[in-house]
């Protein structure tokens, strides 16, 4: 099939694009390569995808070309398109020209804390950009849109585990609010235009090739440099850390389960994660929250370094605990994330040392 994967130079996106190419699909990967974090890391991820194209892309990317021409390979096809989501005309043209069968929309302005100081970046990428993708799906008969939501939507909810049936009407960051808005916008398009949409609430994704703004990356860098790590809420936090391979497997399984119209569903008696429209929402998390201090201990063991901890109060927009209820995901796909934190952290540390030894 022919896929659009947005955020293809991102952490999750490049792994998803790789899996699809390995399965023999044609993939167009979209990213704007912004400088929210190290662009060279994004280019390195794209370089990994070169094996699915006969044409080497890095020189073209550095030269500033927006589109890398299509090339065939034994395993599949990959093309990269450098484009802003909020460029509505260009996104519409891309959809009209390429006629995607499925879309996996992972591009967004990420980061809870960054949203406090840079709110307009989230309006552009996460609201206008998501609407542009919905419009593309609407006008070009895309059979399934799978998009990234976030565990952040649970906001002030303290009832655990977080279930898709819970209220998500009280976000504590603009980032979370835009992700909740994405779910609402998607439901409108599912209801009005019969566009099948599935939102995935990811829980603290980590692993090799991860984002430098995430705790594991920052902790590892600081500890190797002999610097203290910032530990918020004085370490009294828990996260449902979910390894990248588990996230990708969940995405791959969900995208094959296209939501259907359910005429028997009603607001009064139905789940908030489903609808009479072809619309679904799932959590993808490990279902096993880990205390932040235990997470740090796993990192200390992998690095054989004791962390110097700078204990700080809770930051605005943060939450104390996340914990995913994943029974719905299992009932539909037969899959539960399963990688332990000790295994996942060790894999990240091996990648980090190898990658930065090579880069430096």
């Amino acid at each position: 099939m022919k896929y659009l994967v947005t955020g293809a130079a991102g952490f999750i996106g490049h792994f998803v694009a790789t899996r699809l190419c390995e399965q023999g699909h044609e993939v167009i990967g979209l990213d704007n390569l912004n400088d929210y974090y190290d662009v060279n890391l994004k280019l390195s991820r794209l370089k990994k995808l070169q094996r699915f194209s006969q044409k080497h892309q890095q020189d073209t990317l550095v030269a500033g070309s927006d589109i890398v021409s299509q090339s065939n390979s034994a395993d599949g096809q990959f093309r990269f398109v450098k484009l802003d989501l909020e460029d509505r005309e260009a996104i519409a043209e891309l959809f009209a020209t390429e006629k995607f069968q499925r879309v996996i929309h992972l591009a967004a302005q990420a980061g809870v804390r960054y949203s406090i100081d840079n709110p307009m970046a989230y309006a552009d990428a996460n609201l206008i950009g998501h609407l542009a993708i919905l419009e593309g799906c609407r006008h070009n008969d895309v059979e399934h849109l799978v998009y990234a939501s976030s565990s952040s939507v649970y906001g002030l909810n303290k009832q655990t585990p977080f279930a898709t049936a819970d209220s998500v009407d009280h976000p504590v960051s603009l980032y979370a609010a835009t992700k909740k808005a994405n779910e609402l916008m998607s439901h409108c398009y599912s209801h009005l235009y019969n566009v099948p949409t599935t939102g995935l609430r990811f829980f603290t994704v980590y692993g090799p090739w991860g984002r430098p703004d995430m705790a594991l990356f920052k902790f590892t860098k600081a500890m190797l440099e002999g610097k203290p790590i910032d530990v918020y809420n004085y370490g009294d936090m828990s996260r449902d850390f979910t390894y990248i391979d588990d996230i990708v497997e969940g995405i791959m399984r969900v995208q094959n389960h296209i939501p259907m119209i359910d005429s028997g569903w009603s607001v009064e008696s139905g789940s908030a994660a489903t609808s009479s429209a072809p619309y679904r929402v799932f959590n993808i998390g490990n279902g096993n929250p880990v205390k932040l201090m235990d997470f740090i201990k796993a990192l200390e063991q992998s690095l054989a370094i004791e962390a110097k901890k700078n204990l700080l109060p809770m930051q605005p927009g943060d939450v104390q605990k996340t914990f995913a209820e994943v029974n719905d995901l299992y009932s539909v796909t037969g899959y539960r994330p399963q990688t332990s934190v000790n295994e996942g952290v060790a894999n990240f540390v091996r990648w980090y040392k190898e990658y930065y030894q090579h880069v430096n």
Side-chain angles (χ1 to χ4, degrees):
M1 288 190 290
K2 190 172 188 177
Y3 286 80
L4 171 65
V5 176
T6 71
F11 177 28
I12 303 174
H14 93 278
F15 278 110
V16 170
T18 297
R19 282 284 296 273
L20 290 170
C21 288
E22 287 172 345
Q23 293 177 1
H25 301 294
E26 181 179 356
V27 179
I28 292 180
L30 181 151
D31 206 292
N32 68 355
L33 297 176
N34 69 30
D35 61 358
Y36 169 65
Y37 63 80
D38 184 12
V39 175
N40 289 322
L41 180 58
K42 298 179 181 182
L43 291 173
S44 294
R45 295 184 186 127
L46 286 177
K47 188 175 181 180
K48 288 177 60 192
L49 286 161
Q50 286 181 9
R51 64 192 175 100
F52 300 108
S53 172
Q54 293 174 349
K55 185 178 179 66
H56 288 291
Q57 299 176 6
Q58 190 172 31
D59 290 342
T60 310
L61 286 169
V62 171
S65 174
D66 284 349
I67 299 179
V68 176
S69 60
Q70 178 177 342
S71 300
N72 296 325
S73 78
D75 296 304
Q77 298 175 308
F78 180 77
R79 278 183 286 163
F80 176 71
V81 178
K82 184 173 181 289
L83 194 61
D84 285 317
L85 287 174
E86 58 266 32
D87 188 341
R88 290 175 288 177
E89 292 183 359
I91 293 292
E93 182 180 355
L94 181 68
F95 270 86
T97 301
E98 300 295 345
K99 300 298 182 186
F100 304 110
Q101 290 167 277
R102 295 184 184 177
V103 175
I104 300 179
H105 176 38
L106 302 170
Q109 178 57 61
V112 169
R113 292 160 191 160
Y114 188 75
S115 69
I116 294 172
D117 297 323
N118 301 275
M120 297 310 295
Y122 293 77
D124 291 340
N126 298 7
L127 298 179
I128 296 174
H130 190 74
L131 183 58
I133 294 296
L134 285 168
E135 278 287 280
C137 294
R138 167 196 173 189
H139 292 293
N140 295 279
D141 298 321
V142 169
E143 69 176 34
H144 195 190
L145 167 63
V146 176
Y147 63 94
S149 186
S150 169
S151 61
S152 298
V153 301
Y154 289 103
L156 292 177
N157 179 30
K158 295 188 185 301
Q159 176 178 302
T160 57
F162 295 163
T164 52
D166 293 344
S167 169
V168 288
D169 292 332
H170 299 89
V172 295
S173 70
L174 183 66
Y175 168 71
T178 63
K179 288 299 184 178
K180 169 60 176 175
N182 288 169
E183 295 179 5
L184 295 172
M185 295 159 71
S186 298
H187 184 267
C188 287
Y189 273 68
S190 295
H191 174 74
L192 291 172
Y193 309 117
N194 201 32
V195 176
T197 67
T198 300
L200 301 177
R201 295 173 179 170
F202 298 143
F203 281 70
T204 315
V205 189
Y206 75 103
W209 296 95
R211 290 189 352 233
D213 63 323
M214 298 295 285
L216 180 57
F217 205 112
K218 292 193 291 186
F219 289 172
T220 301
K221 182 176 187 295
M223 289 168 65
L224 287 172
E225 294 174 353
K227 298 177 180 178
I229 62 174
D230 290 339
V231 180
Y232 294 102
N233 203 37
Y234 309 103
D236 184 18
M237 300 178 77
S238 297
R239 288 289 180 271
D240 202 338
F241 294 101
T242 313
Y243 190 63
I244 182 61
D245 290 0
D246 291 323
I247 291 289
V248 173
E249 182 64 27
I251 293 170
M252 297 304 296
R253 294 199 184 202
V254 164
Q255 60 97 19
N256 281 323
H257 290 270
I258 301 174
M260 306 294 288
I261 292 173
D262 180 3
S263 58
W265 182 93
S266 70
V267 171
E268 293 75 19
S269 61
S271 166
T274 59
S275 175
S276 53
Y279 167 89
R280 284 299 302 258
V281 172
F282 293 102
N283 289 333
I284 300 188
N286 217 45
N288 181 30
V290 174
K291 293 180 180 179
L292 179 57
M293 299 304 283
D294 290 339
F295 187 71
I296 293 170
K297 186 179 297 183
L299 180 56
E300 290 174 325
Q301 291 173 348
S302 292
L303 289 172
I305 298 171
E306 184 175 351
K308 303 171 187 175
K309 303 175 186 70
N310 182 25
L311 301 178
L312 298 168
M314 181 82 84
Q315 283 200 316
D318 222 338
V319 296
Q320 184 177 10
K321 182 178 182 178
T322 63
F323 181 2
E325 163 62 74
V326 293
N327 286 340
D328 287 351
L329 177 71
Y330 180 76
S331 67
V332 171
T333 68
Y335 183 71
R336 293 182 191 272
Q338 52 200 343
T339 306
S340 71
V341 160
N342 286 335
E343 179 185 354
V345 167
N347 290 343
F348 173 82
V349 167
R350 280 193 294 272
W351 167 80
Y352 185 95
K353 289 180 174 179
E354 180 180 349
Y355 177 77
Y356 281 99
Q357 182 179 22
H358 175 72
V359 168
N360 295 329

